[in-house]
Every structure is written in C-alpha cells, then in structure tokens.
Amino acid sequence: MKYKLLIVAAFLLAAICTALAQSEYRTHMLVKVMPDSKDRLRELYSFSQLDLEAGETFMEPYLYAYPEDLLLLQREGFAYEIIHENVEQFYASRLESPLVTMGGYRTYAEIVTTLDSIHTVHPTITTAKFSIGNSLEGRPMWVMKISDNPEVDENEAEIFYNSLIHAREPAGMENLIYFMNYLTHNYGSNAEVTDLVNNREMYFLPCVNPDGYEYNRTTNPTGGGMWRKNRRNNGDGSYGVDLNRNFDAAWGIDDNGSSPTPSTETYRGTAPFSEPETQRLRDFINSREFVTEIDYHTYSNLVLYPWGTSYYPPPSGNGLCPDNSTFQMIADSMAYFIHTVNSVWYSTGTAWQLLYDVNGGSFDWEYGATVDHFKVFAVTTEIGGASDGFWPAPSRIIPL
Ligand code: 0X9
Ligand code: CA
Ligand code: CA
Ligand code: ZN
C-alpha cells in the first residue's frame, strides 16, 4: 500500500516537473545551419518548431535552438555549427553594465516615462500619452500623437508608427523613440521636420506587446531575453501567441506562414484577433484614418510590404497586391534614405519574396481590410544585420 502511494506520488512529481519545465525559461544556442541545396533549405523551413532567422548568408540561416532541435538536425542529416552555447549570455555580455537597465534598452516603465517627458518638454506639439486599452496581463498600451494643434483632429494625413509586437526586438522601439525625439527636438529649426509636424498627424505606439517585453525583463534583467510572443497561457503547458500571425488576413490559410501548434514561435492563436493586443490595435486603426504605417522589427536589413504570403489574396492570388509598384517606390525610397544615413542597403520586397510566408500578419490586414478602415500603405522594417541579432550592442543603437 505504502509502495503504491509512493509510485503515485512519484508520477505526480514527474507530471509537475514536466509542467514546470515547460513554463520555465530556457536559454538558446545560436546555431548556423548549412543545408546543401535550396530544396534542403525549404525542407529545413518546413519544421515549424524551429526558430529560424536570417544568418550571414541566405543559404545558412541561424537557428535559435533548444537541445532537442539539435537532435532533429542530426536525425534529418543537416550540417550545423554551434556559434554560441548560450545566446542570451552572449547578448548580455556585449550589452552595457547591469547598472544600466536592460543592457542599454529602455524597459516598459522607462518607455512610459520617456513619453511623459517628451510631452512635458514639448506640450504644444504632442498630446499626453493615452492608452488604447490593456494587454492580456493588464498593462496599458500607450500611444502619443505628434502634430501641431495636437488636441485637434485636423484634416492632415494620419500616420501610424509601432514597435515591439515581437518582445525580443527592442532595437525597433529605440528606433521609433529616436524618431519621436528627432521630430520634437528639431521642430522650429529644421524646415522639413517643421513641415511634417505642421502638416501630418503622427501616432506612436512604442510597445505593442508589453507582457512579452516585461517577461524578457524578468528572465533576463540585463537584456538578451529571447521571448517573442505575448504571454497567453495556451492551456497545454505552453505560453504565447505570435501577435503578428493573429490578424484577420488569410489567417491560418496554411501551416507554412503560421503554425497551429501552441508551443511554436509562430503560433497563430485559436482565432483571428483572439488576443487583446491585436484587438486593441484593430480598434485603434479602425477609429482613425491612417494612410501609412511602419512596424519596426529586427533583424535582416529589409523593408517589407504586402502581401505576406505568396498565394494571397485567397484562394489563389499571385502574392502581389494591386499597389505593388507604389509599394516598391515607397520601399525603395526608404532604402535609399536609410543608405544615406548609415551606408547600409536594405533589400525591398514582399515578405514571401525576401523572407518567408507570413499569414495573419499585421500589414496584410492594415492594407487589405478596407471595409473597416482606409487603405493603409503599411510596411515593415527589419532593422540591423545578422551580427546585430536581437539585442544589438548599445553602440549600435544610434547607427541602426
Ligand atoms: O515573421 C515576422 O513576423 C516578421 N519577421 S521577424 O523576424 N521580425 O519576426 C516579418 C513580418 C512581415 N510583416 C507582416 N507580414 N506584417
Ligand atoms: Ca495638426
Ligand atoms: Ca485627422
Ligand atoms: Zn519581428
């Protein structure tokens, strides 16, 4: 009898340990994968549990790997090379001293105080920050408008800037805040800036995914956290929905551009707009008249535009939107100006041409859902190169 109880207890303990192990943060290896042909590269990308990102070359992507991922590579016969045994530690080691919060990147709380201080110093061309609603865990999603007569809804083109939909991409947020500072500091002295502020209504949402970003601060307080999704408890021991797969645009049209598996990094959620964060974004966009939008991501040195998936619009489009040439012109001009600032040429194109298929992504809905709102010329910038990775050294923030 005692023996039986002991066995039951042991099983229970094992079950609890598994549950704990699944919800606990695990560090990643940075691994270069070397498939020897394009077919094998495609095969590699078909394993949706693998967190693959751009590498130094197209044929050799980087994998942010758990130990079991290496077993998969071995089983499938992919050559690979471990670059860092613990990429979080590597990121932390090149970030600033622990005395500076998050290795030189603003925390969520610091983003909030930054918005407050911009408004305090420039009250005539900014609104006070306002919330467009709360995240799943109840954190406000703060927005600030920059324009002349900021409290008045004027007849000026409206523009939307946002960042940190992916929690491990803080260089996008620093880029967005740099631009807010640039506009407010140079208003009245720089003619181009003054013209923009006088004749546009620019809205800034620096942190689309506060729960994921705060989670990274908890697990990796000095920076380098690799959490991407929101913090939805999926009920199977896994957490998080990829917010950039949760929009109502070709949502879940295949398992290539997003994943039905909750534990994967591109999990699309249980339904389009199932997540509070995407609902807030949707309602805010529907309440305004945006003509253009940028969402800042990292990394790969790209300017991307719709469509996200190669056979959009469904059921069998060719992946090019009706405004393809306009988008090309916008993206190429952006790439041109980026080059004048930092001497890096960004590649331009649709997500599926330059990266991989994305379904349920934000810009397809922003551009395509014209029953709900204006047609938004929405683009994604992927800032920085493979050596920058997700937490570039702080000395790289200004150049980026
Ligand atoms: O996969 C993504 O969501 C983006 N790349 S990232 O490495 N930052 O995760 C690309 C998104 C393309 N944009 C949209 N389809 N909206
Ligand atoms: Ca105005
Ligand atoms: Ca207006
Ligand atoms: Zn991203």
Side-chain angles (χ1 to χ4, degrees), residues 153-154 156 158 201:
D153 185 359
E154 298 191 291
E156 300 167 343
E158 301 186 2
E201 296 180 295

Side-chain angles (χ1 to χ4, degrees), residues 196-226:
L196 276 175
V197 173
N198 285 343
N199 297 299
R200 302 284 186 281
E201 296 180 295
M202 293 173 273
Y203 289 83
F204 296 86
L205 168 58
C207 191
V208 176
N209 179 8
D211 299 348
Y213 197 48
E214 271 297 89
Y215 180 70
N216 274 331
R217 187 179 65 85
T218 323
T219 58
N220 298 71
T222 59
M226 282 290 289

Side-chain angles (χ1 to χ4, degrees), residues 58-99:
F58 177 73
M59 284 300 293
E60 297 180 333
Y62 282 168
L63 171 65
Y64 293 83
Y66 292 131
E68 60 268 27
D69 298 335
L70 294 191
L71 295 180
L72 187 152
L73 293 183
Q74 286 162 20
R75 194 181 69 228
E76 301 294 331
F78 286 102
Y80 65 86
E81 193 181 296
I82 299 176
I83 297 176
H84 296 293
E85 291 283 350
N86 182 334
V87 73
E88 283 88 343
Q89 206 170 66
F90 163 70
Y91 284 153
S93 75
R94 69 179 185 185
L95 295 170
E96 283 176 355
S97 88
L99 296 175

